[in-house]
Amino acid sequence: MTSVTDVSPARPAFRLTRVFQGLERLIVPALLIAGWEAFARSGVLPPALLPAPSAVLHALGDWVFGFDETTQTYSGHWLRDALASALRVFGGFALASLLGILAGVAIGWSRLFEKTLEPTLQMLRPIPPVSWIPLAIIWFGIADKPAIFLVFLGAFFPVLMNSIHGVKTVDHNLVRAGAMMGANQRQMLTDIVLPAALPSIFAGLRIAVGSAWMLTVTAEMVAVKSGLGYVLWDSYYFLRYDIVIAAMISIGLLGYLSDLGLKAIMARALRWQRTTTVQGRAG
């Protein structure tokens, strides 16, 4: 039996290993930033065309905290702009998740829905979301609604396709076992098929949240006058490429945090996978 005194000496080594594992994630970003700083300071390109990371960090800091107003009208308004974008992203993403999962499960489970609904959705899927911009503005006007609509279009189809795939690839032996136990259609769908399809559905949700952040930039360029995408596009007109890159970094950071949140939810919902998958073995 292992005693407390046997385990304690290993804890510092374990913490040191976790610290080194954390530092490994920073190696590539640190090298990229160092190379970017060196190239920007070499004078090959004018600083106005390629701002150094230090200049971008300064612009981002003023945008967030407003310490010297070098970002002019945006100084100190980062939180307002980030919230405006986040509301559009999560509004469109929530709607796309709900409808995408419902439609995907229905198509994957029912031949009737597969024959009647899937051909129309598959015909709409190749149409780029940006091509809906004129109609979105006509239908919803210039406000949040067309932006949420475009985000919805970008997020809906990844959720739909992964939900269909998840339901259709459920192990047939599980369904047969449920039938042998006397489960009806509703019980097999809710107690067997849906839990088994969750890994694929979550994969679709993670793709969708990234698409949602990408589409919000496009939407805010044309349909609204606020948000990170609007700041990015407006700064481009005034040749403030430091703010442009600061907006790109902000979107990337928020998209990364959104994915981390989904991964945390997925880890709790799919705890049963930890002992049966390579990911669980590594984690």
mmCIF file of all heavy atoms in Angstrom, residues 163-193:
data_model
loop_
_atom_site.group_PDB
_atom_site.id
_atom_site.type_symbol
_atom_site.label_atom_id
_atom_site.label_comp_id
_atom_site.label_asym_id
_atom_site.label_seq_id
_atom_site.Cartn_x
_atom_site.Cartn_y
_atom_site.Cartn_z
ATOM 1 N N SER A 163 -23.629 16.079 -37.149
ATOM 2 C CA SER A 163 -24.731 15.410 -36.466
ATOM 3 C C SER A 163 -25.251 14.247 -37.305
ATOM 4 O O SER A 163 -25.521 13.151 -36.781
ATOM 5 C CB SER A 163 -25.861 16.402 -36.170
ATOM 6 O OG SER A 163 -25.409 17.439 -35.333
ATOM 7 N N ILE A 164 -25.391 14.468 -38.610
ATOM 8 C CA ILE A 164 -25.816 13.374 -39.506
ATOM 9 C C ILE A 164 -24.808 12.228 -39.438
ATOM 10 O O ILE A 164 -25.173 11.059 -39.271
ATOM 11 C CB ILE A 164 -25.964 13.882 -40.956
ATOM 12 C CG1 ILE A 164 -27.100 14.904 -41.059
ATOM 13 C CG2 ILE A 164 -26.213 12.716 -41.912
ATOM 14 C CD1 ILE A 164 -27.195 15.568 -42.427
ATOM 15 N N HIS A 165 -23.533 12.583 -39.540
ATOM 16 C CA HIS A 165 -22.481 11.560 -39.507
ATOM 17 C C HIS A 165 -22.489 10.807 -38.171
ATOM 18 O O HIS A 165 -22.371 9.573 -38.144
ATOM 19 C CB HIS A 165 -21.121 12.235 -39.716
ATOM 20 C CG HIS A 165 -19.963 11.300 -39.545
ATOM 21 N ND1 HIS A 165 -19.590 10.393 -40.504
ATOM 22 C CD2 HIS A 165 -19.110 11.128 -38.503
ATOM 23 C CE1 HIS A 165 -18.562 9.694 -40.078
ATOM 24 N NE2 HIS A 165 -18.234 10.123 -38.871
ATOM 25 N N GLY A 166 -22.657 11.544 -37.080
ATOM 26 C CA GLY A 166 -22.647 10.905 -35.769
ATOM 27 C C GLY A 166 -23.769 9.906 -35.594
ATOM 28 O O GLY A 166 -23.561 8.806 -35.072
ATOM 29 N N VAL A 167 -24.974 10.258 -36.064
ATOM 30 C CA VAL A 167 -26.124 9.350 -35.919
ATOM 31 C C VAL A 167 -25.980 8.148 -36.850
ATOM 32 O O VAL A 167 -26.232 7.004 -36.458
ATOM 33 C CB VAL A 167 -27.428 10.113 -36.204
ATOM 34 C CG1 VAL A 167 -28.607 9.152 -36.232
ATOM 35 C CG2 VAL A 167 -27.649 11.180 -35.145
ATOM 36 N N LYS A 168 -25.563 8.389 -38.076
ATOM 37 C CA LYS A 168 -25.470 7.299 -39.053
ATOM 38 C C LYS A 168 -24.357 6.300 -38.734
ATOM 39 O O LYS A 168 -24.400 5.158 -39.209
ATOM 40 C CB LYS A 168 -25.263 7.874 -40.463
ATOM 41 C CG LYS A 168 -26.534 8.415 -41.100
ATOM 42 C CD LYS A 168 -26.277 8.841 -42.516
ATOM 43 C CE LYS A 168 -27.599 9.250 -43.192
ATOM 44 N NZ LYS A 168 -28.485 8.096 -43.367
ATOM 45 N N THR A 169 -23.362 6.707 -37.968
ATOM 46 C CA THR A 169 -22.232 5.806 -37.705
ATOM 47 C C THR A 169 -22.284 5.194 -36.298
ATOM 48 O O THR A 169 -21.295 4.629 -35.838
ATOM 49 C CB THR A 169 -20.898 6.563 -37.882
ATOM 50 O OG1 THR A 169 -20.900 7.720 -37.040
ATOM 51 C CG2 THR A 169 -20.686 6.961 -39.323
ATOM 52 N N VAL A 170 -23.437 5.310 -35.634
ATOM 53 C CA VAL A 170 -23.586 4.631 -34.333
ATOM 54 C C VAL A 170 -23.463 3.126 -34.538
ATOM 55 O O VAL A 170 -24.006 2.567 -35.506
ATOM 56 C CB VAL A 170 -24.953 4.994 -33.716
ATOM 57 C CG1 VAL A 170 -25.244 4.105 -32.509
ATOM 58 C CG2 VAL A 170 -24.967 6.456 -33.301
ATOM 59 N N ASP A 171 -22.754 2.468 -33.652
ATOM 60 C CA ASP A 171 -22.557 1.018 -33.737
ATOM 61 C C ASP A 171 -23.907 0.310 -33.805
ATOM 62 O O ASP A 171 -24.745 0.463 -32.902
ATOM 63 C CB ASP A 171 -21.766 0.558 -32.505
ATOM 64 C CG ASP A 171 -21.313 -0.892 -32.623
ATOM 65 O OD1 ASP A 171 -21.874 -1.624 -33.467
ATOM 66 O OD2 ASP A 171 -20.402 -1.283 -31.868
ATOM 67 N N HIS A 172 -24.099 -0.469 -34.871
ATOM 68 C CA HIS A 172 -25.388 -1.144 -35.054
ATOM 69 C C HIS A 172 -25.666 -2.142 -33.936
ATOM 70 O O HIS A 172 -26.829 -2.408 -33.602
ATOM 71 C CB HIS A 172 -25.403 -1.859 -36.407
ATOM 72 C CG HIS A 172 -26.744 -2.381 -36.790
ATOM 73 N ND1 HIS A 172 -27.845 -1.573 -36.994
ATOM 74 C CD2 HIS A 172 -27.204 -3.654 -36.975
ATOM 75 C CE1 HIS A 172 -28.891 -2.301 -37.306
ATOM 76 N NE2 HIS A 172 -28.534 -3.573 -37.300
ATOM 77 N N ASN A 173 -24.616 -2.678 -33.329
ATOM 78 C CA ASN A 173 -24.817 -3.645 -32.238
ATOM 79 C C ASN A 173 -25.483 -2.985 -31.031
ATOM 80 O O ASN A 173 -26.221 -3.637 -30.296
ATOM 81 C CB ASN A 173 -23.473 -4.252 -31.817
ATOM 82 C CG ASN A 173 -22.943 -5.202 -32.878
ATOM 83 O OD1 ASN A 173 -23.722 -5.872 -33.559
ATOM 84 N ND2 ASN A 173 -21.629 -5.254 -33.027
ATOM 85 N N LEU A 174 -25.192 -1.686 -30.833
ATOM 86 C CA LEU A 174 -25.837 -0.976 -29.727
ATOM 87 C C LEU A 174 -27.341 -0.871 -29.963
ATOM 88 O O LEU A 174 -28.146 -1.054 -29.045
ATOM 89 C CB LEU A 174 -25.234 0.426 -29.570
ATOM 90 C CG LEU A 174 -23.777 0.509 -29.116
ATOM 91 C CD1 LEU A 174 -23.295 1.952 -29.127
ATOM 92 C CD2 LEU A 174 -23.632 -0.081 -27.717
ATOM 93 N N VAL A 175 -27.725 -0.558 -31.204
ATOM 94 C CA VAL A 175 -29.157 -0.449 -31.534
ATOM 95 C C VAL A 175 -29.834 -1.807 -31.402
ATOM 96 O O VAL A 175 -30.943 -1.919 -30.865
ATOM 97 C CB VAL A 175 -29.322 0.124 -32.958
ATOM 98 C CG1 VAL A 175 -30.810 0.230 -33.326
ATOM 99 C CG2 VAL A 175 -28.655 1.491 -33.064
ATOM 100 N N ARG A 176 -29.155 -2.835 -31.866
ATOM 101 C CA ARG A 176 -29.724 -4.185 -31.762
ATOM 102 C C ARG A 176 -29.870 -4.592 -30.303
ATOM 103 O O ARG A 176 -30.868 -5.214 -29.909
ATOM 104 C CB ARG A 176 -28.829 -5.178 -32.499
ATOM 105 C CG ARG A 176 -28.845 -5.003 -34.010
ATOM 106 C CD ARG A 176 -27.899 -5.977 -34.683
ATOM 107 N NE ARG A 176 -28.284 -7.375 -34.422
ATOM 108 C CZ ARG A 176 -27.527 -8.417 -34.752
ATOM 109 N NH1 ARG A 176 -26.348 -8.213 -35.347
ATOM 110 N NH2 ARG A 176 -27.930 -9.648 -34.497
ATOM 111 N N ALA A 177 -28.878 -4.248 -29.486
ATOM 112 C CA ALA A 177 -28.967 -4.577 -28.061
ATOM 113 C C ALA A 177 -30.138 -3.850 -27.408
ATOM 114 O O ALA A 177 -30.864 -4.422 -26.582
ATOM 115 C CB ALA A 177 -27.657 -4.212 -27.367
ATOM 116 N N GLY A 178 -30.333 -2.575 -27.797
ATOM 117 C CA GLY A 178 -31.461 -1.816 -27.264
ATOM 118 C C GLY A 178 -32.784 -2.433 -27.663
ATOM 119 O O GLY A 178 -33.717 -2.515 -26.851
ATOM 120 N N ALA A 179 -32.888 -2.894 -28.918
ATOM 121 C CA ALA A 179 -34.119 -3.531 -29.381
ATOM 122 C C ALA A 179 -34.379 -4.840 -28.629
ATOM 123 O O ALA A 179 -35.513 -5.154 -28.268
ATOM 124 C CB ALA A 179 -34.033 -3.778 -30.884
ATOM 125 N N MET A 180 -33.304 -5.576 -28.376
ATOM 126 C CA MET A 180 -33.465 -6.837 -27.643
ATOM 127 C C MET A 180 -33.907 -6.596 -26.201
ATOM 128 O O MET A 180 -34.593 -7.423 -25.602
ATOM 129 C CB MET A 180 -32.140 -7.613 -27.656
ATOM 130 C CG MET A 180 -31.766 -8.160 -29.019
ATOM 131 S SD MET A 180 -30.143 -8.946 -29.012
ATOM 132 C CE MET A 180 -30.424 -10.291 -27.858
ATOM 133 N N MET A 181 -33.511 -5.439 -25.648
ATOM 134 C CA MET A 181 -33.910 -5.106 -24.269
ATOM 135 C C MET A 181 -35.323 -4.536 -24.204
ATOM 136 O O MET A 181 -35.828 -4.204 -23.142
ATOM 137 C CB MET A 181 -32.940 -4.089 -23.676
ATOM 138 C CG MET A 181 -31.508 -4.600 -23.525
ATOM 139 S SD MET A 181 -31.352 -5.846 -22.249
ATOM 140 C CE MET A 181 -31.574 -4.847 -20.786
ATOM 141 N N GLY A 182 -35.955 -4.379 -25.388
ATOM 142 C CA GLY A 182 -37.334 -3.914 -25.421
ATOM 143 C C GLY A 182 -37.493 -2.405 -25.530
ATOM 144 O O GLY A 182 -38.597 -1.892 -25.298
ATOM 145 N N ALA A 183 -36.425 -1.683 -25.884
ATOM 146 C CA ALA A 183 -36.519 -0.227 -26.010
ATOM 147 C C ALA A 183 -37.339 0.145 -27.245
ATOM 148 O O ALA A 183 -37.210 -0.488 -28.300
ATOM 149 C CB ALA A 183 -35.122 0.371 -26.126
ATOM 150 N N ASN A 184 -38.190 1.172 -27.097
ATOM 151 C CA ASN A 184 -38.940 1.652 -28.258
ATOM 152 C C ASN A 184 -38.089 2.642 -29.045
ATOM 153 O O ASN A 184 -36.954 2.947 -28.679
ATOM 154 C CB ASN A 184 -40.273 2.270 -27.823
ATOM 155 C CG ASN A 184 -40.075 3.388 -26.807
ATOM 156 O OD1 ASN A 184 -39.087 4.125 -26.888
ATOM 157 N ND2 ASN A 184 -41.000 3.517 -25.856
ATOM 158 N N GLN A 185 -38.636 3.186 -30.119
ATOM 159 C CA GLN A 185 -37.877 4.083 -31.004
ATOM 160 C C GLN A 185 -37.384 5.326 -30.255
ATOM 161 O O GLN A 185 -36.255 5.758 -30.424
ATOM 162 C CB GLN A 185 -38.751 4.490 -32.185
ATOM 163 C CG GLN A 185 -39.007 3.387 -33.183
ATOM 164 C CD GLN A 185 -37.764 3.043 -33.994
ATOM 165 O OE1 GLN A 185 -37.174 3.900 -34.623
ATOM 166 N NE2 GLN A 185 -37.381 1.771 -33.985
ATOM 167 N N ARG A 186 -38.261 5.906 -29.434
ATOM 168 C CA ARG A 186 -37.853 7.110 -28.707
ATOM 169 C C ARG A 186 -36.737 6.813 -27.711
ATOM 170 O O ARG A 186 -35.773 7.570 -27.593
ATOM 171 C CB ARG A 186 -39.067 7.704 -27.962
ATOM 172 C CG ARG A 186 -38.760 9.006 -27.238
ATOM 173 C CD ARG A 186 -39.929 9.435 -26.361
ATOM 174 N NE ARG A 186 -40.208 8.478 -25.311
ATOM 175 C CZ ARG A 186 -39.489 8.374 -24.183
ATOM 176 N NH1 ARG A 186 -38.451 9.173 -23.984
ATOM 177 N NH2 ARG A 186 -39.789 7.474 -23.276
ATOM 178 N N GLN A 187 -36.849 5.693 -27.013
ATOM 179 C CA GLN A 187 -35.810 5.334 -26.041
ATOM 180 C C GLN A 187 -34.485 5.028 -26.733
ATOM 181 O O GLN A 187 -33.421 5.391 -26.230
ATOM 182 C CB GLN A 187 -36.280 4.131 -25.221
ATOM 183 C CG GLN A 187 -37.394 4.472 -24.231
ATOM 184 C CD GLN A 187 -37.977 3.232 -23.582
ATOM 185 O OE1 GLN A 187 -38.051 2.169 -24.200
ATOM 186 N NE2 GLN A 187 -38.390 3.365 -22.316
ATOM 187 N N MET A 188 -34.547 4.361 -27.880
ATOM 188 C CA MET A 188 -33.292 4.061 -28.596
ATOM 189 C C MET A 188 -32.628 5.349 -29.081
ATOM 190 O O MET A 188 -31.405 5.480 -29.050
ATOM 191 C CB MET A 188 -33.571 3.119 -29.768
ATOM 192 C CG MET A 188 -33.712 1.668 -29.351
ATOM 193 S SD MET A 188 -33.528 0.520 -30.700
ATOM 194 C CE MET A 188 -35.082 0.777 -31.545
ATOM 195 N N LEU A 189 -33.465 6.309 -29.511
ATOM 196 C CA LEU A 189 -32.902 7.569 -30.002
ATOM 197 C C LEU A 189 -32.276 8.381 -28.860
ATOM 198 O O LEU A 189 -31.150 8.876 -28.993
ATOM 199 C CB LEU A 189 -33.999 8.385 -30.694
ATOM 200 C CG LEU A 189 -33.574 9.747 -31.253
ATOM 201 C CD1 LEU A 189 -32.502 9.571 -32.331
ATOM 202 C CD2 LEU A 189 -34.776 10.495 -31.823
ATOM 203 N N THR A 190 -33.002 8.511 -27.741
ATOM 204 C CA THR A 190 -32.519 9.386 -26.659
ATOM 205 C C THR A 190 -31.488 8.707 -25.758
ATOM 206 O O THR A 190 -30.596 9.375 -25.225
ATOM 207 C CB THR A 190 -33.709 9.860 -25.793
ATOM 208 O OG1 THR A 190 -34.402 8.704 -25.286
ATOM 209 C CG2 THR A 190 -34.659 10.709 -26.603
ATOM 210 N N ASP A 191 -31.603 7.379 -25.570
ATOM 211 C CA ASP A 191 -30.727 6.691 -24.616
ATOM 212 C C ASP A 191 -29.528 6.007 -25.276
ATOM 213 O O ASP A 191 -28.540 5.692 -24.592
ATOM 214 C CB ASP A 191 -31.519 5.631 -23.836
ATOM 215 C CG ASP A 191 -32.636 6.255 -23.007
ATOM 216 O OD1 ASP A 191 -32.564 7.475 -22.760
ATOM 217 O OD2 ASP A 191 -33.582 5.533 -22.636
ATOM 218 N N ILE A 192 -29.596 5.749 -26.577
ATOM 219 C CA ILE A 192 -28.499 5.021 -27.237
ATOM 220 C C ILE A 192 -27.861 5.849 -28.354
ATOM 221 O O ILE A 192 -26.656 6.093 -28.350
ATOM 222 C CB ILE A 192 -29.017 3.681 -27.809
ATOM 223 C CG1 ILE A 192 -29.518 2.794 -26.663
ATOM 224 C CG2 ILE A 192 -27.920 2.974 -28.597
ATOM 225 C CD1 ILE A 192 -30.166 1.511 -27.120
ATOM 226 N N VAL A 193 -28.688 6.282 -29.307
ATOM 227 C CA VAL A 193 -28.133 6.935 -30.500
ATOM 228 C C VAL A 193 -27.538 8.305 -30.173
ATOM 229 O O VAL A 193 -26.401 8.605 -30.565
ATOM 230 C CB VAL A 193 -29.226 7.064 -31.582
ATOM 231 C CG1 VAL A 193 -28.708 7.877 -32.770
ATOM 232 C CG2 VAL A 193 -29.664 5.678 -32.044
#
